[in-house]
Amino acid sequence: MSRESHVRLARGRLSAMPAGPPKDSTELDARDTWFPEGDGPGETVPAAPARERFAEEALLGRGGMGEVHRVWDHHLERYVARKRLRSNRTDLAARFRQEARVTGRLEHPNIVPVHELGRDDNGNWYLTMKEVRGDALTALLKASDGSDEELTRLVRILINVCNAVAFAHANGVVHRDLKPD
């Protein structure tokens, strides 16, 4: 994190800190985050290179611009999905960053939240988001037994998808790559 974007945990709530590291700590560099403990100097969490911060577990999917892996985030101590841009083309990088920012602003229960946008050790853009586990709609449709209960469940899923798309549309976002898998 930059010196201008430190975060403070105070009484259980996150709040922005003034720009710059604490005056009594000269060891912090521009990649450190400071968490104060009382009035004294705080604990530092140095920004690790992506190869040290994220432990890659599995490829979840591959698309036109990038690929998504299940990774363990050592800083947050949880699994996340990390989408990484496969190319350094300027036009794709701009689209990727825009996708991350737009998605990050859409707060809806049926839209996957974006946690972070950054660059890896090679300068490639990535974003981390909540890992959503489950079966694709295509697989659910194929496995359906056709019972009323099963059809009701599938319709509820489709309604949730429609609600998310409607929310995005209401916020000026059009998803151009919606598919059931």
Side-chain angles (χ1 to χ4, degrees), residues 2 14 16 21 37 48 58 67 96 115 150 152 154:
S2 72
L14 288 174
E37 297 171 354
E67 53 192 28
F96 186 83
H115 300 309
E150 185 67 14
T152 299
L154 293 172

Side-chain angles (χ1 to χ4, degrees), residues 16 35 50 80 83 86 98 139 147 150 152:
F35 296 92
V80 295
K83 182 175 183 178
R86 288 190 306 206
Q98 181 67 12
S147 68
E150 185 67 14
T152 299

Side-chain angles (χ1 to χ4, degrees), residues 42-62:
E43 168 190 1
T44 61
V45 180
R51 70 181 174 281
E52 294 173 16
R53 178 174 178 188
F54 300 110
E56 217 166 87
E57 296 238 337
L59 177 66
L60 299 175
R62 186 172 280 139

Side-chain angles (χ1 to χ4, degrees), residues 79-143:
Y79 285 103
V80 295
R82 182 178 65 178
K83 182 175 183 178
R84 185 173 38 209
L85 188 61
R86 288 190 306 206
S87 168
N88 275 330
R89 284 184 25 202
T90 306
D91 60 327
L92 290 180
R95 273 184 38 207
F96 186 83
R97 290 190 311 271
Q98 181 67 12
E99 173 189 320
R101 290 179 180 127
V102 166
T103 306
R105 286 192 301 264
L106 295 175
E107 293 187 30
H108 186 274
N110 303 115
I111 296 176
V112 179
V114 172
H115 300 309
E116 176 183 17
L117 172 64
R119 290 185 130 168
D120 67 16
D121 306 330
N122 297 320
N124 296 319
W125 287 97
Y126 72 87
L127 65 87
T128 60
M129 59 191 137
K130 177 181 179 179
E131 179 193 18
V132 178
R133 299 185 69 116
D135 296 318
L137 184 56
T138 304
L140 295 174
L141 291 169
K142 287 180 182 175

Side-chain angles (χ1 to χ4, degrees), residues 27-40:
E27 290 80 41
L28 295 179
D29 72 7
R31 297 172 299 166
D32 290 334
T33 303
W34 179 59
F35 296 92
E37 297 171 354
D39 295 328

